[in-house]
């Protein structure tokens, strides 16, 4: 019987995409209404979204590799 693969929920990917979309929308809205403090916050959110996705995917890849090593050691 095959061992079932653990399900990992990569919330970093949808979360990062949502953060990028919200940041982009905030940049556009704050530029239209000349709300400069909100522009800075939206820009920061937009710039943080990409690395957030990458770090989350790296963590999931590392966890998958650790699971493979544990399975090899146990066999």
């Amino acid at each position: 019987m095959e061992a079932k693969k653990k399900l990992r929920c990569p919330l970093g990917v949808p979360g990062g995409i949502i953060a990028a979309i919200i940041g982009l929308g905030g940049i556009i809205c704050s530029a239209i209404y000349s709300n400069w403090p909100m522009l800075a916050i939206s820009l920061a959110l937009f710039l943080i979204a990409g690395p957030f996705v990458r770090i989350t995917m790296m963590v999931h890849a590392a966890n998958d590799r650790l699971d493979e090593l544990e399975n090899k050691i146990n066999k």
Side-chain angles (χ1 to χ4, degrees):
M1 182 173 179
E2 287 185 32
K4 290 185 179 180
K5 188 172 183 177
K6 292 180 184 178
L7 295 175
R8 298 203 196 285
C9 185
L11 287 178
V13 176
I17 293 170
I18 291 170
I21 292 170
I22 291 172
L24 188 60
I27 290 169
I28 293 169
C29 289
S30 61
I32 290 172
Y33 297 114
S34 299
N35 187 355
W36 304 119
M38 188 62 184
L39 177 65
I41 294 170
S42 298
L43 184 63
L45 181 64
F46 182 74
L47 293 176
I48 288 173
F52 182 70
V53 171
R54 181 67 185 144
I55 289 170
T56 304
M57 292 310 295
M58 286 172 50
V59 168
H60 287 297
N63 283 336
D64 290 338
R65 289 181 193 148
L66 285 174
D67 287 344
E68 288 177 17
L69 289 173
E70 286 175 358
N71 287 338
K72 287 181 182 179
I73 289 172
N74 290 336
K75 287 184 180 181

